[in-house]
Amino acid sequence: MISAKGYAAQTHESDLAPWEFQRREVGPHDVQFDILYCGVCHSDLHQIKNDWFPGIFPMVPGHEIVGRVIAVGNHVKKFKVGDLAGTGCMVDSCRTCESCQQGLEQYCLNGNSQTYNGREQDKKTPTYGGYSNTIVVNEDFVLHIPENLDLAGTAPLLCAGITTYSPLRHWKVGTGHKLAVLGLGGLGHMGVKFGVALGAEVTVLSTSPEKEADARKLGAHHFVVTKDREQLNSVRGKFDFILDTVSADHDYQVYLSLLKVSGVHICVGAPPSPAQMSAFSLIIGRKSIAGSNIGGIAETQEMLDFCAENNIVSDIELINIKDIHQAYERMLKGDVRYRFVIDMATL
Ligand code: NAP
Ligand code: ZN
Ligand code: ZN
């Protein structure tokens, strides 16, 4: 076994604290890389707090992981020692089901292996994420990281990036479309960048008026403060798509009224409580409410290559791992500008 160290929550009620643990030896198809940066996703906070379901503890969060390869198994073809490497939200899947065969490992019908708070495909061994110094992953779930991009800013592409890129591609959002991005946080700011890069007219819907200047710098064409009734009413019936990145419980019906006829409300934000909704908010205007989960491995590589070509990275605040709790507190207040990334040298 390989000795690793990281930050873990021992229960859903405890703070993160230093923890030493074991990773598997590098197998024939495995890549080991030392973690240089790991992004802080709101899902980390949801999971250590058991917001969604009872978690697997101790939990080492982190699924926006980039670093440099230090060892490869003897059958590994795609990586060599010294390469940049990244891993997102999954470290394995069954590889045989219909979804896996279509490159949709995120929808593996037999359950993919989440990078943390999950289990390997033996359905027993717990997985530990990126708030740690090193990781061992099967090469098929390791991504090539472009050399021309800022490395710390690249880490959030592995979750916030692919989670917003994938639905925009699936629904073919682009020129001629009016896209609203709901919530300007880690996912939201990437949604704005991709929406603009794909040619859509982008509006940010935000609870935070003070984010307007940033939204415009990110390329957004319009900014609407959702708490201001007048501003909200001015965009009723305006959008082809809403990309909903909100982490907290909210009323979907309010936002459905902002869609055009046949518009689609795409949920990527995953609030803790089930929502209530009248069927009429969909019937009137033939509207859809849809969801999307991260993206497949091939699509994640496509997104990274798209970012390399278009010079897109996340806007980040680099933090010392000892300040993770302050980062979480700010995240809960919506005060993220626009992704915290842990400098793993501080571990
Ligand atoms: P984040 O950085 O904390 O951003 C969330 C944003 O939502 C906030 O910055 C805020 O933006 C807005 N917001 C917060 N509370 C709100 C409220 N009560 N009402 C309205 N807006 C509110 O979080 P994130 O990392 O981007 O993650 C967002 C959500 O996506 C989380 O639930 C996360 O678990 C989920 N997620 C899903 C996937 C997937 O595959 N589907 C992947 C990753 C993350 P404003 O200040 O602009 O209002
Ligand atoms: Zn995430
Ligand atoms: Zn599968």
Side-chain angles (χ1 to χ4, degrees):
M1 299 294 264
I2 291 169
S3 298
K5 58 178 184 169
Y7 262 45
Q10 297 296 324
T11 74
H12 76 282
E13 284 170 328
S14 48
D15 282 346
L16 293 176
W19 187 55
E20 296 193 357
F21 61 104
Q22 309 275 300
R23 299 225 187 246
R24 67 166 181 268
E25 290 291 345
V26 179
H29 299 280
D30 286 338
V31 171
Q32 181 186 6
F33 61 97
D34 278 350
I35 299 171
L36 297 171
Y37 300 105
C38 184
V40 178
C41 181
H42 207 114
S43 305
D44 300 346
L45 193 50
H46 285 308
Q47 292 186 83
I48 55 175
K49 296 292 171 213
N50 279 355
D51 270 356
W52 295 334
F53 52 83
I56 301 166
F57 291 90
M59 191 187 298
V60 178
H63 57 207
E64 296 184 335
I65 309 169
V66 293
R68 227 173 250 289
V69 175
I70 60 156
V72 293
N74 49 14
H75 290 301
V76 168
K77 295 197 180 67
K78 298 177 197 156
F79 291 89
K80 57 181 191 324
V81 171
D83 285 351
L84 287 177
T87 286
C89 302
M90 300 176 285
V91 289
D92 211 348
S93 70
C94 86
R95 297 149 186 258
T96 56
C97 74
E98 198 179 338
S99 295
C100 286
Q101 300 260 305
Q102 293 171 345
L104 298 170
E105 300 88 357
Q106 73 275 32
Y107 305 122
C108 175
L109 301 175
N110 297 307
N112 62 49
S113 298
Q114 292 282 293
T115 300
Y116 70 87
N117 195 21
R119 300 196 186 274
E120 298 286 357
Q121 285 298 297
D122 64 7
K123 307 292 179 193
K124 288 192 202 114
T125 314
T127 53
Y128 300 116
Y131 295 10
S132 61
N133 63 335
T134 195
I135 192 165
V136 178
V137 183
N138 184 291
E139 68 167 330
D140 293 335
F141 284 77
V142 183
L143 285 306
H144 286 285
I145 301 298
E147 294 274 353
N148 65 322
L149 297 177
D150 173 67
L151 191 58
T154 304
L157 301 178
L158 275 310
C159 175
I162 185 59
T163 301
T164 48
Y165 180 85
S166 181
L168 296 181
R169 299 294 289 180
H170 177 76
W171 276 279
K172 302 186 171 52
V173 177
T175 310
H177 287 140
K178 288 186 165 60
L179 167 70
V181 175
L182 179 56
L184 195 63
L187 267 56
H189 93 291
M190 291 310 306
V192 172
K193 290 191 183 204
F194 287 133
V196 170
L198 293 168
E201 185 180 322
V202 178
T203 302
V204 169
L205 306 175
S206 174
T207 59
S208 312
E210 65 281 5
K211 290 181 183 172
E212 175 164 2
D214 289 343
R216 294 198 186 269
K217 265 190 244 152
L218 292 164
H221 305 93
H222 313 281
F223 187 87
V224 168
V225 179
T226 50
K227 290 184 288 193
D228 180 330
R229 276 280 144 199
E230 224 169 276
Q231 286 197 35
L232 201 62
N233 283 336
S234 74
V235 289
R236 284 171 81 92
K238 281 277 194 303
F239 302 112
D240 298 284
F241 299 97
I242 295 174
L243 184 64
D244 179 346
T245 73
V246 173
S247 50
D249 295 336
H250 57 290
D251 183 357
Y252 291 90
Q253 298 179 122
V254 170
Y255 303 105
L256 285 165
S257 72
L258 309 184
L259 287 172
K260 284 186 190 173
V261 171
S262 305
V264 186
H265 182 116
I266 307 165
C267 301
V268 288
S273 316
Q276 274 209 326
M277 200 179 54
S278 158
F280 285 109
S281 53
L282 299 174
I283 290 170
I284 307 302
R286 195 173 55 196
K287 294 169 184 173
S288 311
I289 188 156
S292 184
N293 185 26
I294 50 170
I297 295 298
E299 193 178 43
T300 304
Q301 191 64 58
E302 177 195 307
M303 178 273 310
L304 288 165
D305 298 344
F306 180 88
C307 288
E309 273 161 39
N310 292 277
N311 208 20
I312 293 175
V313 287
S314 176
D315 292 12
I316 63 152
E317 254 185 74
L318 199 59
I319 61 163
N320 186 311
I321 196 162
K322 290 167 195 72
D323 297 328
I324 187 68
H325 296 106
Q326 279 142 275
Y328 283 159
E329 272 165 38
R330 282 184 51 195
M331 188 179 244
L332 273 176
K333 286 191 247 155
D335 180 20
V336 179
R337 309 298 167 96
Y338 280 86
R339 195 60 141 185
F340 293 110
V341 171
I342 302 166
D343 180 352
M344 217 45 76
T346 62
L347 182 65

